[in-house]
C-alpha cells in the first residue's frame, strides 16, 4: 500500500466521480482507476461501488477512508513539524476558500503574505462552505476560510472578524432612494419582496433564511444561483432583492450593480473564521498565514470605519 494510493482514494471519495478526481490530482483517469484496482486487490475488498452516474463508498470503503484521512493528516503534520524544526522558511499551505468571499479578500491577503514569505507555496481550493468543512475535517486543507456557525464538530478555528450584512436592491426600487440619507431598512420591511438567494449547501443561504425567519417571515424565493455574483447581477436588473456580505458589497465586480443599503439595528453580521481540523499541527507557515489574514481583515475594517 502506497501513500499516493491513499491520497487517490480520498480524492475519489471527496468527488464521488473518477473524472473529477483525476482532474484534481492532475493524473489520467485510466491511471487513477488502475491504482485503485491495484489497491483493492491488495486489500481484498471493494472500496467503491461503481455506477453509471456515480461512485459510492462500500462499507469497507467508509472504514478505509476514515483511517486513510487520519494517516495522510499525520504524514502531513510530520512533514510540517520537520520543516519547522529545520527552521526553513519554505513550506506549503493548502487554503480552502468560499469562492466569492475569497475573491474579495484573498487579493488583499496573498500579496501581503508573499511579501514576507516568498518561498512558501500557497495552494487554493475553492468550494461551497459545506464541502469545505468536510475537506477541512478530513485534513485535505490545512486552513479554510469559513463563517460561523460550523456544522462539523471536530473543527477548531481562529476568529478573523465580524462582517456586516447589507441589503441589495435594484437601482429603481423604492428603497434605493434611501441611499445616503441615513434612513435604514429593517428586515421586516422585506417580507413581501421577491428574494434571490444562493442554492442549498451554501452557508450564506442558510444565514439569509435564518435572518429572515428571525424577522418574522419566510422569504419568497424567485431565483437561486450557485454564484454570488450572479445573485448580485439579477438584483441589479430588477428581479428581486437579497442580503449581501459587506466585503462583497464594498467592491462589486459585475457590470450590473445593485444599490447596497445598511440594515437597521441590530445590524446583522457574520463572523469570518479560519478553520482547521481539531488537533491538527499547524506549521509556522500556516500560523503566519492566519496572522496575515487577521491583520488584513483588521486593516480593511479600519478603512471602512474612517
Amino acid at each position: 500500500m502506497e501513500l499516493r494510493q491513499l491520497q487517490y482514494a480520498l480524492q475519489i471519495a471527496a468527488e464521488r466521480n473518477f473524472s473529477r478526481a483525476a482532474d484534481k490530482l492532475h493524473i489520467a483517469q485510466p491511471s487513477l482507476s488502475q491504482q485503485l484496482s491495484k489497491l483493492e486487490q491488495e486489500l481484498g475488498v471493494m472500496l467503491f461501488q461503481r455506477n453509471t452516474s456515480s461512485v459510492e463508498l462500500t462499507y469497507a470503503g467508509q472504514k478505509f477512508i476514515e483511517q486513510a484521512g487520519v494517516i495522510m493528516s499525520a504524514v502531513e503534520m510530520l512533514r510540517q513539524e520537520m520543516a519547522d524544526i529545520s527552521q526553513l522558511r519554505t513550506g506549503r499551505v493548502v487554503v480552502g476558500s468560499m469562492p466569492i468571499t475569497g475573491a474579495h479578500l484573498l487579493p488583499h491577503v496573498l500579496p501581503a503574505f508573499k511579501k514576507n514569505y516568498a518561498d512558501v507555496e500557497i495552494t487554493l481550493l475553492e468550494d461551497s462552505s459545506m464541502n469545505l468543512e468536510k475537506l477541512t475535517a478530513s485534513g485535505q486543507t490545512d486552513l479554510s476560510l469559513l463563517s460561523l456557525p460550523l456544522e462539523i464538530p471536530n473543527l477548531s478555528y481562529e476568529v478573523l472578524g465580524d462582517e456586516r450584512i447589507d441589503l441589495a436592491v435594484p437601482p429603481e426600487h423604492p428603497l434605493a432612494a434611501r441611499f445616503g440619507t441615513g434612513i435604514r431598512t429593517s428586515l421586516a420591511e422585506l417580507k413581501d419582496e421577491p428574494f434571490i438567494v444562493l442554492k442549498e449547501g451554501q452557508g450564506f443561504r442558510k444565514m439569509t433564511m435564518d435572518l429572515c425567519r428571525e424577522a418574522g417571515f419566510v422569504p419568497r424565493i424567485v431565483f437561486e444561483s450557485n454564484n454570488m455574483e450572479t445573485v448580485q447581477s439579477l438584483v441589479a436588473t430588477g428581479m428581486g432583492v437579497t442580503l449581501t456580505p459587506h466585503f462583497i458589497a464594498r467592491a462589486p465586480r459585475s457590470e450590473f450593480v445593485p444599490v447596497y443599503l445598511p440594515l437597521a439595528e441590530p445590524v446583522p453580521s457574520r463572523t469570518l473564521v479560519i478553520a482547521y481540523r481539531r488537533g491538527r499541527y499547524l506549521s509556522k507557515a500556516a500560523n503566519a498565514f492566519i496572522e496575515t489574514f487577521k491583520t488584513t481583515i483588521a486593516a480593511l475594517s479600519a478603512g471602512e470605519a474612517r
Side-chain angles (χ1 to χ4, degrees), residues 17 19 31 33 40 107 113 117 158 163 177 183 186 193 198 201 236 238 250 256 258 265 290 298 300 305:
N17 182 282
S19 179
S31 297
S33 298
E40 288 178 326
F113 181 80
Y117 302 92
E158 299 266 351
E163 179 185 19
I183 302 173
S186 68
E193 297 287 343
L198 293 170
R250 69 189 288 275
F256 302 103
E265 300 285 349
I290 292 173
L300 289 173

Side-chain angles (χ1 to χ4, degrees), residues 19-305:
S19 179
R20 289 198 299 270
D23 287 342
K24 292 285 180 69
L25 292 165
H26 305 293
I27 64 172
Q29 184 175 334
S31 297
L32 178 61
S33 298
Q34 182 182 27
Q35 286 297 322
L36 179 63
S37 296
K38 182 179 178 182
L39 176 62
E40 288 178 326
Q41 289 172 9
E42 179 182 347
L43 296 173
V45 296
M46 181 177 288
L47 300 178
F48 296 93
Q49 186 68 48
R50 287 81 155 171
N51 300 316
T52 55
S53 59
S54 65
V55 177
E56 299 297 332
L57 284 165
T58 63
Y59 176 76
Q62 292 174 357
K63 297 299 182 182
F64 181 86
I65 290 302
E66 288 175 8
Q67 293 303 314
V70 173
I71 292 169
M72 293 304 295
S73 179
V75 169
E76 182 58 29
M77 286 192 289
L78 180 59
R79 286 197 184 108
Q80 292 176 347
E81 285 190 69
M82 294 302 101
D84 282 351
I85 289 172
S86 68
Q87 296 184 343
L88 293 175
R89 290 175 60 84
T90 60
R92 178 172 178 261
V93 182
V94 180
V95 178
S97 174
M98 299 175 287
I100 300 302
T101 302
H104 287 272
L105 293 180
L106 291 175
H108 297 280
V109 177
L110 291 179
F113 181 80
K114 295 300 287 185
K115 180 179 179 181
N116 295 316
Y117 302 92
D119 294 326
V120 175
E121 177 188 352
I122 299 293
T123 299
L124 293 178
L125 192 160
E126 292 187 331
D127 214 323
S128 67
S129 54
M130 181 182 296
N131 287 339
L132 279 178
E133 286 196 34
K134 294 176 182 177
L135 293 170
T136 308
S138 66
Q140 294 184 66
T141 69
D142 296 307
L143 309 167
S144 286
L145 172 61
L146 293 164
S147 62
L148 297 181
L150 302 179
E151 301 295 327
I152 296 180
N154 67 326
L155 294 178
S156 297
Y157 60 85
E158 299 266 351
V159 173
L160 297 174
D162 291 330
E163 179 185 19
R164 190 179 85 203
I165 305 302
D166 290 336
L167 169 66
V169 300
E172 69 277 8
H173 194 285
L175 291 176
R178 295 181 178 179
F179 181 79
T181 65
I183 302 173
R184 297 205 169 196
T185 303
S186 68
L187 280 171
E189 292 181 68
L190 307 175
K191 62 183 180 66
D192 296 322
E193 297 287 343
F195 269 76
I196 304 170
V197 298
L198 293 170
K199 288 186 177 180
E200 292 282 358
Q202 303 275 9
F204 195 74
R205 179 211 171 93
K206 183 179 185 302
M207 176 171 287
T208 297
M209 303 298 287
D210 289 346
L211 286 171
C212 289
R213 289 192 185 100
E214 289 171 10
F217 70 97
V218 176
R220 178 167 59 90
I221 298 172
V222 293
F223 289 104
E224 297 177 334
S225 174
N226 282 319
N227 190 301
M228 182 68 85
E229 295 287 1
T230 301
V231 171
Q232 306 304 301
S233 295
L234 289 174
V235 170
T237 55
M239 306 306 295
V241 304
T242 195
L243 301 183
T244 305
H246 184 62
F247 285 128
I248 294 173
R250 69 189 288 275
R253 299 185 300 169
S254 170
E255 62 178 301
F256 302 103
V257 181
V259 174
Y260 295 104
L261 303 170
L263 288 159
E265 300 285 349
V267 178
S269 65
R270 66 172 178 170
T271 301
L272 294 174
V273 300
I274 284 284
Y276 49 90
R277 183 176 178 171
R278 184 169 297 162
R280 183 184 183 93
Y281 174 79
L282 291 182
S283 67
K284 291 180 180 178
N287 277 306
F289 189 85
I290 292 173
E291 290 306 312
T292 302
F293 220 129
K294 285 181 177 179
T295 302
T296 302
I297 292 288
L300 289 173
S301 299
E304 288 290 328

